[in-house]
Amino acid sequence: MSRRHIISLLMENEAGALSRVAGLFSARAYNIESLTVAPTEDATLSRMTIVTVGSEDIIEQITKQLNKLVDVIKVMDLTEGSHIERELMLVKVKAVGAGREEMKRTADIFRGRIIDVTDATYTIELTGTGSKLDAFLEAIDPAFIIETVRTGASGIGRGERSLKV
Amino acid sequence: MKWHDFLTVAGQNDYPHRFTNELIFCQFMEATGAEIVVRCLAEEGVEFVFGYPGGAVLNIYDEIFKQNKFKHVLVRHEQAAVHAADAYARATGRVGVALVTSGPGVTNAVTGIATAYMDSIPIVVVTGQVPTPAIGLDAFQEVDTVGITRPCVKHNFLVKDVKDLAATMKKAFIIAATGRPGPVVVDVPKDVTAHLTDFEYPATVEMRSYNPVVKGHSGQMKRAVQMLLEAKRPMIYAGGGVVLGDASGQLTELARLLGFPVTNTLMGLGGHPATDKQNLGMLGMHGTYEANMAMQHCDVLLAVGARFDDRVIGNPAHFAREQRRIIHVDIDPSSISKRVKVDVPIVGDVQNVLTDMLALLKQAKEKPDAAALNAWWTQIELWRSKNCLNYNRNSPIIKPQYVVEKLWEVTKGDAFVTSDVGQHQMWAAQYYKFDKPRRWINSGGLGTMGVGLPYAMGVQLAHPEAQVACITGESSIQMNIQELSTCKQYRIPVKVVMLNNRYMGMVRQWQEFFYGSRYAESYMESLPDFVKLAESYGHVGMRIDKPEDVEAALKEAFSPALKERMVFMDFQTDQTENVFPMVEGGKGLSEMILAEEL
Ligand SMILES: Cc1cc2nc3c(=O)[nH]c(=O)nc-3n(C[C@H](O)[C@H](O)[C@H](O)COP(=O)(O)OP(=O)(O)OC[C@H]3O[C@@H](n4cnc5c(N)ncnc54)[C@H](O)[C@@H]3O)c2cc1C
Ligand SMILES: Cc1ncc(C[n+]2csc(CCOP(=O)(O)OP(=O)(O)O)c2C)c(N)n1
Ligand SMILES: [Mg+2]
């Protein structure tokens, strides 16, 4: 049975590190739903969050193969325990006439913030789980959407659960 | 004078003008990148660097010219440089080294690197790169070496700052040789080879992200030993990891202590002595009947340093049909439960783990179930009595199997044998009984035609006094035939045993079985006169047409009179011969086609 997994990893912040991970996924035909990467508070380390879909066997191979990369220091499957997942989305929408007020209300319901306004558009910032962002996009009329950009999920373990060197 | 004396005597043969100023090494604290590369190799105790020069590595070659710590072997194609370095590593257990220039030097080397990667062979390949300011500008002879090689290396580096060079070289050697071994590429831009820095070669380098597990989990090892002692129909399946991890002594002791049957993969041959009564021969697609049947029907399987390859277990669903418990020892966690689910995974170095398991076994009060084991061996002997490797020994045409058998006899089973890829490779594996590890040198994972001759060169240089035979086919040999010239330059006295069936026999066999005998493009005509070809390089050429001449030819080739000579033997073999037993792709391990069934 295939399930969605969020895999977090710490690796040496070196040129080419991202391509080693991306290359691994394409070479072994693993799915990538999203991949985010940025340095941590320790600039020698990069933290990456990969959202993937696969059966238990495949996920086991993915974590083993990631661990095998020489630059990778630690790997954690966040979905194996309690965790928090967040993604940021910016959506530019048409905001004219009656739709303008409606759009603001919907954004409020989803705790979105309007961060840029013109006569005809709003740009809305939303954070949440991937499914919440999906839900927002479903809640508004697709005809109003001018542009969306999403960061892909970031995740962190709850409580004591953490990924550190 | 021995053929290899010149390798240690400076100023002879190929470097008539080189100056051998040893002091150059320690006089200066500061060194250029090129000097650093060369000094690191010397510090690592490298004996041979197999390479080919070009613009981006000229600074390095200039430093090679000035030193006499290691010998550079000039091949005739970069692919062969990497193969030779790879063979050196396989035959010695030490890291092999190759040096190539940027661009086409690198792309030529890629096949060699991928070949070493698939079989987990420790090599370091130093590649030249265009100067750092030119990277990314489509400079002359620029390729993205790190990008091109990434999927087929254990790790690779682009060294942009000369200050990082020595530590990177150290890391390359550590990574190549430890854990699951593999090739490491160090890409060095030309300007970096000219830059100066203080040089000190670190004794070791810590890498927080790289710590291979060596010791097995004690609880798992206890469970494993318990399981082995309870087995009624046990089987030991030993792979290349036993050879790579130098654990054939431990494996053989364990097998003897337990009285269990052993099979080897193609890569594991020699890891357990082939002439030992407990050895059932190779398993898999062209494995023996008894090995495959025992593998399929055992109740407890101990897999050591083997990766359940598709050529080994056939269809995994068919394999899983029989109930059995599996213990899997491997240094790479990703080899475990990749294709077959196992019950007791043990991550660790095979020598370490087997030593611990032996100790546990010796302490154990229980003994293996003698009655059950007896019955199991009776069954195995029944399978063995099928004599699945039998062939027509009275053929008027030379049978390829016969040549390999005779080679084994003539060399007293003690040669280093390299092979190319095809039917001849399988016959070599089946009929040359390897009793020692690191004697059988071939490309299993990638199946690279063309490895045979460069492999033989690397092995012979590593073991100058040993008998080295290269079993090849007339198609494979032509993929690196240019190395006859390298053999001439360095007087490398390898013996080529070419099983010439005028076909890409392995391809022809598949076409015969699965494509209605439509032999599309698998013939090999317009062959050269190999005797003359060999002679034109100053080697000894022989053509053998009749079975009765096989033994004499081999004896002559391996006689003291020709010890220092390269000999090329062209055996005209039966064109229609096929490799048996055979498990068709997608079929189960016990669904073999046997010779007698056709
Ligand atoms: C034409 C052709 C036909 C073939 N037919 C067959 C066939 O009939 N039968 C057959 O067996 N093969 C056959 N092969 C070869 C096959 O493709 C595989 O290369 C081979 O079976 C793999 O061998 P292995 O499982 O021993 O693994 P290897 O590739 O040798 O891998 C070694 C394993 O050991 C592990 N390891 C390495 N070092 C250590 C250590 N120190 N401690 C513990 N573990 C370690 C590694 O992690 C790895 O999992 C054929 C190849 C060709 C080209
Ligand atoms: C580089 C490369 N190309 C193609 C193949 C596919 N292939 C496998 S065996 C074989 C034929 C080998 O012929 P030969 O060397 O004459 O050996 P034989 O099978 O006749 O003994 C071919 C083409 C390969 N393994 N490697
Ligand atoms: Mg042939």
Side-chain angles (χ1 to χ4, degrees), chain B residues 474-475 501 503-505:
Chain B
E474 78 297 330
S475 315
N501 52 9
Y503 268 109
M504 296 172 199

Side-chain angles (χ1 to χ4, degrees), chain A residues 12 20 44 61 64 68 70, chain B residues 156 208-209 332-334 336:
Chain A
E12 297 290 352
R20 287 185 207 279
T44 67
Q61 268 298 312
K64 284 174 170 178
K68 196 166 138 180
V70 168
Chain B
N156 57 19
R208 61 180 167 181
S209 62
D332 178 359
S334 75
I336 299 180

